[in-house]
Amino acid sequence: MITASLWWHPGQGQGLEKLFRYARRMRNGGIRPNAAMSWAREGPATALLDAGKGLGYVAARRAMDRAIEIAKQSGIAMVAVRHSNHFGIAGYHAKRAADAGLIGIAMTNAGAEMAPWGATRPILGTNPWGIAVPRGGHHPIILDMALTQSGKGMMRWLDRAGLPMPDTWALTADGARTTDPGAAMDGPLLPIGDYKGYGLSLITDALTGVLTGSLFGAQVFQDDENYDVAHTMIAIRIEAFIARRRFDERLEALIADVLTAPPIDPDGPVQLPGQAEQERARWRLEHGIPVDGTTVAGLRDLARELGVPFALEPVA
Amino acid sequence: MITASLWWHPGQGQGLEKLFRYARRMRNGGIRPNAAMSWAREGPATALLDAGKGLGYVAARRAMDRAIEIAKQSGIAMVAVRHSNHFGIAGYHAKRAADAGLIGIAMTNAGAEMAPWGATRPILGTNPWGIAVPRGGHHPIILDMALTQSGKGMMRWLDRAGLPMPDTWALTADGARTTDPGAAMDGPLLPIGDYKGYGLSLITDALTGVLTGSLFGAQVFQDDENYDVAHTMIAIRIEAFIARRRFDERLEALIADVLTAPPIDPDGPVQLPGQAEQERARWRLEHGIPVDGTTVAGLRDLARELGVPFALEPVA
């Protein structure tokens, strides 16, 4: 969660603010903090983890670590997780693989917010993907993305600021295009690439919820005592295909071409996926993570309730 | 290629029309019709095929068939292809896996038509993906998509018809938005989901061109004697995670929810990925594939040049 706070814009709804939701879910039994997790199935290059309603971050990390371990032997591995919870940021889990020198893919299903293309009723989740590719001597490429153009967190943030949104983000509940984030708060989010993102979201649910025996479609995250989220992690060993040094040299050549492409806006240079997050993280590691007063008050209340020490150092 | 003609709208540039390009590439040595293909690397769940400049369709099919064979043992397999050519439609290769009861993913790099997000110079390809998920007793779900909103073929088709395009498809060479397909013919195609599709395209090139030792980025498809395209195929065995019958039941439940979502346009019901292509194919298998006069004349010329019999049956 600290990683999410370091990487993300607060409007994107990840980070420390999620702690209150996790705490609420622990109280109502949807998340079991000390769940016994167990391996439900194991194959030569696959495994299935039963998270036993435990924390999604913990289960997904365990799954990716197992995928890395298997892929080091087999070249590619896929480890799925059933009966889990919100796994946080997909890019965090993908980065585990890149940090170990492998290519990592992490995906999850999520509460229904996207309608099938051409429909109004949300049936599918934003079903985010994280993909991380290691670089020699540099921070990995990290793509962390929902399969929708944007999310409700970002829309709420614009709505509070009185700002419009692009009309490609979400529809009204009746299925009309709008630039008013407030008007679309009860409507479906729009997928990336129109029907393409809808197809990707449907297939992501097939690869997570349907494949693992967890909930899927509009059922995920509906029952406060049983969120039953599913994730899928894939790790790929580069050396199964090419020498690592050659891969690194070739990837840097591609990156150099990408980064030197002439920008449309001279003040807006081309960036790699994950670069903005890394620059934000570097700044925040030095200067701190900005936290608003409401969040601070909430953290103090939560600490008091749980009997955990809480102290704020004044900003110098 | 017949499958592509059965599935696709002619503006999408797949199908029989590709035959002329393939013939030209065979003449200039870029495609070797009888190339000796060989396994460059083999691991427990991976393999790398050297296509030896052979036909992309042939190489990709061979790779997916090998991925299916390995995944039946290991649960998941990845087979990559180097030194290949245009592999046709990604969905065709993914469908091979679904027809064998596995989930299939096919991807390729391609000639540079997409600029990095915020830039004007095309460095990355449309890098299409095909993903196929088998269904019990039904045609599989087949997502076949470029990572751009649309393609130059479709833009040319609209341009000839004097029709506008959405301003999300492509930019002018200077990086300006436009609805005039002719004005964007020399500009970059726009990715799905803005920077998300750019990230997916960059990572697809890392997983194909960079990883296999083929060309990547702006170099692919530039040298008429050496196109050097790369593909990656992944096959996933459902039974490594769940009993096939249970998967089928669950997937049908999800599909039923998707297809019964209230449509925005009462005359435009919700469809599954690949459904329109399958309906087109069913019609064309019965009534024939419409081919325009220019294509017919071209086929006749090509047949004469190669000494191959060519006869047209009159349409009843």
Side-chain angles (χ1 to χ4, degrees), chain A residues 64-86:
Chain A
M64 182 55 96
D65 285 354
R66 183 87 180 99
I68 293 165
E69 198 183 308
I70 303 175
K72 281 183 178 168
Q73 304 300 320
S74 59
I76 184 170
M78 171 165 152
V79 178
V81 184
R82 73 182 184 201
H83 310 328
S84 185
N85 275 290
H86 186 267

Side-chain angles (χ1 to χ4, degrees), chain A residues 31 41 105 145 237 239 249 310:
Chain A
I31 297 178
R41 279 173 184 250
I105 303 173
M145 56 175 247
R237 185 173 170 262
E239 295 85 348
E249 286 165 4
F310 180 84

Side-chain angles (χ1 to χ4, degrees), chain B residues 138-159:
Chain B
H138 296 269
H139 196 275
I141 296 174
I142 302 179
L143 182 65
D144 183 300
M145 55 176 250
L147 301 178
T148 47
Q149 282 285 132
S150 191
K152 289 277 162 86
M154 200 65 189
M155 284 164 58
R156 264 189 290 271
W157 191 82
L158 289 176
D159 196 31

Side-chain angles (χ1 to χ4, degrees), chain A residues 1-2 4-11 14-17 157 280-296 299 312 315:
Chain A
M1 290 174 68
I2 297 292
S5 280
L6 288 170
W7 286 11
W8 285 104
H9 186 284
Q14 303 299 339
L16 267 180
E17 297 74 9
W157 191 84
R280 196 176 289 132
R282 206 172 304 128
W283 190 93
R284 290 180 174 187
L285 280 169
E286 193 177 337
H287 302 278
I289 298 170
V291 181
D292 64 30
T294 315
T295 305
V296 172
L299 289 173
L312 272 188
V315 175

Side-chain angles (χ1 to χ4, degrees), chain B residues 129-216:
Chain B
W129 288 27
I131 312 183
V133 180
R135 295 172 65 188
H138 296 269
H139 196 275
I141 296 174
I142 302 179
L143 182 65
D144 183 300
M145 55 176 250
L147 301 178
T148 47
Q149 282 285 132
S150 191
K152 289 277 162 86
M154 200 65 189
M155 284 164 58
R156 264 189 290 271
W157 191 82
L158 289 176
D159 196 31
R160 277 196 297 265
L163 294 168
M165 65 174 190
D167 76 347
T168 52
W169 281 17
L171 302 176
T172 66
D174 299 331
R177 296 250 167 198
T178 179
T179 57
D180 175 3
M185 214 49 87
D186 297 323
L189 294 174
L190 284 168
I192 59 169
D194 303 342
Y195 62 89
K196 297 180 181 185
Y198 147 59
L200 285 173
S201 181
L202 175 64
I203 285 167
T204 302
D205 212 355
L207 279 170
T208 54
V210 175
L211 187 66
T212 61
S214 290
L215 291 177
F216 51 83

Side-chain angles (χ1 to χ4, degrees), chain B residues 35-265:
Chain B
M37 301 188 184
S38 59
W39 295 103
R41 280 175 182 248
E42 292 184 271
T46 60
L48 175 62
L49 180 68
D50 188 321
K53 294 187 171 187
L55 280 155
Y57 262 120
V58 175
R61 178 169 161 160
R62 202 167 287 184
M64 183 55 97
D65 285 354
R66 183 87 180 100
I68 293 165
E69 198 183 309
I70 304 174
K72 281 184 179 171
Q73 304 299 321
S74 59
I76 185 169
M78 174 166 151
V79 178
V81 184
R82 73 182 184 200
H83 309 327
S84 184
N85 275 290
H86 186 267
F87 84 175
I89 43 175
Y92 171 82
H93 302 294
K95 183 174 178 287
R96 297 279 301 169
D99 288 344
L102 291 86
I103 295 167
I105 303 172
M107 57 181 77
T108 187
N109 64 3
E113 294 189 288
M114 181 202 290
W117 185 245
T120 53
R121 185 188 298 152
I123 303 285
L124 301 165
T126 60
N127 295 0
W129 288 27
I131 312 183
V133 180
R135 295 172 65 188
H138 296 269
H139 196 275
I141 296 174
I142 302 179
L143 182 65
D144 183 300
M145 55 176 250
L147 301 178
T148 47
Q149 282 285 132
S150 191
K152 289 277 162 86
M154 200 65 189
M155 284 164 58
R156 264 189 290 271
W157 191 82
L158 289 176
D159 196 31
R160 277 196 297 265
L163 294 168
M165 65 174 190
D167 76 347
T168 52
W169 281 17
L171 302 176
T172 66
D174 299 331
R177 296 250 167 198
T178 179
T179 57
D180 175 3
M185 214 49 87
D186 297 323
L189 294 174
L190 284 168
I192 59 169
D194 303 342
Y195 62 89
K196 297 180 181 185
Y198 147 59
L200 285 173
S201 181
L202 175 64
I203 285 167
T204 302
D205 212 355
L207 279 170
T208 54
V210 175
L211 187 66
T212 61
S214 290
L215 291 177
F216 51 83
Q219 279 72 52
V220 184
F221 275 123
Q222 293 310 299
D223 176 357
D224 274 345
E225 291 174 16
N226 185 32
Y227 298 110
D228 204 357
V229 184
H231 328 301
T232 288
M233 310 285 146
I234 295 174
I236 299 165
R237 183 171 170 263
I238 292 164
E239 295 85 347
F241 299 93
I242 197 169
R244 177 66 200 268
R245 216 175 86 182
R246 239 183 114 216
F247 179 83
D248 288 347
E249 287 165 5
R250 294 160 61 79
L251 183 60
E252 290 312 307
L254 176 59
I255 288 172
D257 279 356
V258 161
L259 294 181
T260 56
I264 297 171
D265 170 4

